[in-house]
Amino acid sequence: MSRRPNLSPAEFSAMINLNNRTDIVIREADKNLGTTVLNADDYIAECHRQLADQRFYRSVTVVSSSPPDFSRLSPELDLVEQELKELCSTHASLLSKKDLPAFFASFPAKPAHFYLLPKIHKTLGPCGVQGRPIVSCIGYCTSPASKFVDYHIKAVIRELAVTVLQDTNSMVHELLTTNFQTDCKVLTADVQSLYTNMEWEATISAMNSLLAEIDHPLRSLLTDLIRFVLENNYFLFRQTIYHQEFGMAMGTPMAVNVANAFLFVHERKAVASFMSSLYLFRRFVDDLILFISSDFDLASFKRSVYQDVSDIRLTWSDLSDSCAFLDLFIFKDTNFSNNGKWSFRTYQKERNAYLYLPFKSDHPRSNLRAFIKAELLRYNRTNNALHSIAAIRTAFWRRLRARGYPHWFLVQVFNTVEPHPAHSSSTRNKAERERPPVVFSTTFHPIFYKFRCTAMLRQALSCRNAQIRFRKTKRLFY
């Protein structure tokens, strides 16, 4: 059944005209701060300014035809394919029959795509705009190998990197289960341009040492694949193909977990040597948070952490009784003086545009209900006081009403999630997160929905880690 268009003919025509204009560039802002409309000349000038830095990028060739013909680059991309074939041949005993076809699925290769995310929360740059460089590797020839590395490195980080946070829930669990002394202060730090400052040999060496600690069976394969991904990043911007000479592309699948492992290797020695006066040290990718005592030697810690990698620079906040970290605002109140625990509430940036899906969107109503319910559940997890949840639910209600959501619809969805402040039993510790799930597999039948059999099975299994899965069945007709 066809849906009724949610755009009028005039709105649809205006959207097409905007998309066809060459004097403007429409991009999503960095930090999820909304949609930006930029002067095309300023945007292109900023891209060229960054790409002109020969330490990081090298111009390979200019593609003059339109649409682009990449045949002139074929010798270099052929070398990439040849290098991957040799690598797979060297490690043939470590690869399954399913891995090899996946590695070569994106050949013959085309360059990745370069663009900027405008940093509207920063001061204007020399070209009138600042941007975060992104190399989108979707469909690029190194992506399958990068995904393979990411899968295995993620498991290593969860096993070894105790200082690395998996998500906000991990931070909430630390705050709820750790007792702090009265002299505790907090500060945060941010790694400047982490991905573009990860020197290749230092990254490979760090990964090799980490994998060697657990005697990983795929150590040689993974380190060679990491080198292959780092050294073969070719991308296109405005008919010119570039090669990244230093650092790692933010858009490659392995970027986050390799960066996590890289920083962990270089921070753990400093963290261990200061543990007597360091109550808690945690990091989420390039964001650090420290809870320290009054006798903590902060100046020495700043000098020693990441001292082995000269390209890594940190921007530090002031020592304080409160801070914003991830989507939490952490602060002291009576809970700290009575129980030695920090309080927290949901943190939202001042420039957040709150561009939720409008009610007249063509998305199914189930999608609209789902994202509202997910936000309400997130507010329960990121607030430890009932009045904080009430305040942010009220603000959320008003923002949704401004996006066209009717009162009756919001009442239905809001009533499905009761406000419950976060507590230690609502967050799982590391052992529980890593415990294998109890899986009950059976063939689906519509009667399961009618009699709510899934809920009954989960209750009968009486296990929080239980998962109900239905096997695929053959189609009876086409």
Side-chain angles (χ1 to χ4, degrees):
M1 184 177 68
S2 61
R3 290 180 175 273
R4 181 180 179 181
N6 62 340
L7 291 178
S8 67
E11 290 173 329
F12 186 80
S13 176
M15 182 181 67
I16 297 299
N17 290 335
L18 278 176
N19 188 56
N20 291 335
R21 286 180 59 173
T22 59
D23 59 326
I24 61 173
V25 174
I26 302 174
R27 284 283 182 272
E28 180 183 358
D30 191 31
K31 306 292 185 183
N32 195 29
L33 296 180
T35 304
T36 62
V37 181
L38 309 169
N39 181 288
D41 293 336
D42 292 342
Y43 175 82
I44 294 170
E46 174 64 12
C47 290
H48 283 149
R49 184 188 70 81
Q50 295 194 22
L51 294 173
D53 191 336
Q54 296 183 2
R55 183 193 177 202
F56 297 101
Y57 307 107
R58 171 176 60 90
S59 174
V60 175
T61 186
V62 176
V63 182
S64 57
S65 61
S66 182
D69 177 14
F70 302 115
S71 59
R72 293 182 61 184
L73 188 67
S74 58
E76 297 209 29
L77 288 183
D78 287 345
L79 290 177
V80 175
E81 186 174 8
Q82 183 62 33
E83 180 181 345
L84 183 58
K85 287 180 179 178
E86 293 175 359
L87 191 154
C88 291
S89 176
T90 303
H91 302 284
S93 60
L94 301 176
L95 292 168
S96 68
K97 294 182 179 179
K98 294 181 180 179
D99 294 328
L100 290 175
F103 281 174
F104 294 93
S106 298
F107 287 98
K110 293 182 180 180
H113 174 62
F114 177 88
Y115 64 95
L116 296 180
L117 291 180
K119 296 183 177 182
I120 62 176
H121 59 290
K122 301 280 188 179
T123 56
L124 294 179
C127 300
V129 63
Q130 277 201 62
R132 182 186 301 277
I134 305 292
V135 178
S136 175
C137 296
I138 298 175
Y140 184 53
C141 58
T142 64
S143 288
S146 186
K147 290 177 182 178
F148 183 89
V149 171
D150 181 67
Y151 174 81
H152 290 281
I153 296 301
K154 180 184 291 186
V156 175
I157 291 174
R158 289 185 174 179
E159 180 177 349
L160 295 180
V162 294
T163 58
V164 176
L165 296 169
Q166 299 297 323
D167 49 28
T168 300
N169 289 345
S170 304
M171 188 68 229
V172 169
H173 180 77
E174 299 286 356
L175 294 173
L176 292 173
T177 57
T178 306
N179 291 321
F180 299 89
Q181 301 298 320
T182 56
D183 63 340
C184 182
K185 296 283 186 178
V186 66
L187 76 159
T188 60
D190 177 66
V191 182
Q192 301 175 14
S193 303
L194 169 61
Y195 299 99
T196 52
N197 284 306
M198 290 174 59
E199 197 271 328
W200 292 348
E201 293 303 325
T203 302
I204 295 166
S205 175
M207 300 306 304
N208 186 54
S209 65
L210 192 64
L211 293 169
E213 288 184 24
I214 59 173
D215 195 21
H216 199 290
L218 302 180
R219 176 165 65 97
S220 59
L221 171 62
L222 292 175
T223 51
D224 284 351
L225 285 176
I226 292 170
R227 181 184 296 277
F228 168 75
V229 173
L230 292 176
E231 294 181 351
N232 292 290
N233 186 27
Y234 292 90
F235 59 88
L236 177 72
F237 178 72
R238 288 184 66 83
Q239 307 296 107
T240 301
I241 295 174
Y242 296 85
H243 178 254
Q244 186 160 354
E245 300 284 301
F246 194 94
M248 180 168 56
M250 283 188 64
T252 191
M254 72 177 190
V256 171
N257 284 307
V258 169
N260 261 332
F262 172 75
L263 290 181
F264 172 71
V265 168
H266 292 287
E267 76 196 6
R268 56 181 172 176
K269 183 178 179 181
V271 172
S273 62
F274 284 87
M275 279 307 296
S276 59
S277 53
L278 179 60
Y279 293 130
L280 187 66
F281 173 92
R282 291 294 182 265
R283 177 177 52 78
F284 183 79
V285 194
D286 57 352
D287 293 320
L288 290 72
I289 187 167
L290 294 84
F291 295 87
I292 64 176
S293 65
S294 56
D295 59 346
F296 183 79
D297 191 350
L298 183 57
S300 296
F301 182 82
K302 289 181 179 180
R303 288 194 300 269
S304 61
V305 69
Y306 307 130
Q307 65 176 353
D308 299 333
V309 278
S310 57
D311 296 300
I312 298 299
R313 301 277 193 276
L314 295 176
T315 302
W316 294 88
S317 70
D318 295 328
L319 202 58
S320 177
D321 288 333
S322 63
C323 73
F325 184 70
L326 304 181
D327 57 348
L328 299 174
F329 183 76
I330 304 168
F331 60 97
K332 286 182 179 179
D333 62 2
T334 55
N335 188 37
F336 186 85
S337 55
N338 295 336
N339 305 315
K341 297 185 184 298
W342 291 77
S343 295
F344 53 91
R345 64 173 182 263
T346 307
Y347 174 71
Q348 296 176 316
K349 295 181 176 68
E350 293 181 4
R351 303 188 72 169
N352 193 329
Y354 303 107
L355 299 178
Y356 304 121
L357 288 173
F359 186 72
K360 69 174 185 177
S361 168
D362 207 29
H363 290 78
R365 292 290 168 84
S366 58
N367 287 11
L368 304 183
R369 293 188 183 94
F371 97 81
I372 296 174
K373 184 176 180 179
E375 276 292 274
L376 295 173
L377 291 172
R378 184 173 72 91
Y379 295 154
N380 283 353
R381 293 193 300 266
T382 55
N383 290 271
N384 72 325
L386 192 59
H387 64 85
S388 299
I389 298 178
I392 198 166
R393 283 170 65 104
T394 300
F396 186 39
W397 175 287
R398 291 171 179 167
R399 291 162 186 155
L400 290 173
R401 291 286 285 152
R403 299 290 288 174
Y405 286 80
H407 182 277
W408 63 267
F409 184 84
L410 294 180
V411 168
Q412 288 181 358
V413 184
F414 271 61
N415 285 342
T416 62
V417 180
E418 292 292 330
H420 292 297
H423 49 83
S424 57
S425 62
S426 64
T427 60
R428 297 182 296 167
N429 58 32
K430 182 179 179 182
E432 288 178 319
R433 290 197 303 269
E434 295 179 350
R435 185 183 303 159
V438 177
V439 180
F440 181 87
S441 180
T442 185
T443 304
F444 174 77
H445 192 279
I447 199 172
F448 275 47
Y449 279 156
K450 183 175 181 180
F451 295 101
R452 305 187 61 178
C453 293
T454 302
M456 293 167 59
L457 284 170
R458 188 172 285 112
Q459 185 178 3
L461 292 169
S462 65
C463 177
R464 184 168 56 185
N465 232 17
Q467 296 182 10
I468 312 298
R469 294 289 182 265
F470 297 115
R471 288 192 294 267
K472 290 183 178 180
T473 57
K474 294 182 179 180
R475 296 180 65 177
L476 300 180
F477 56 88
Y478 293 85

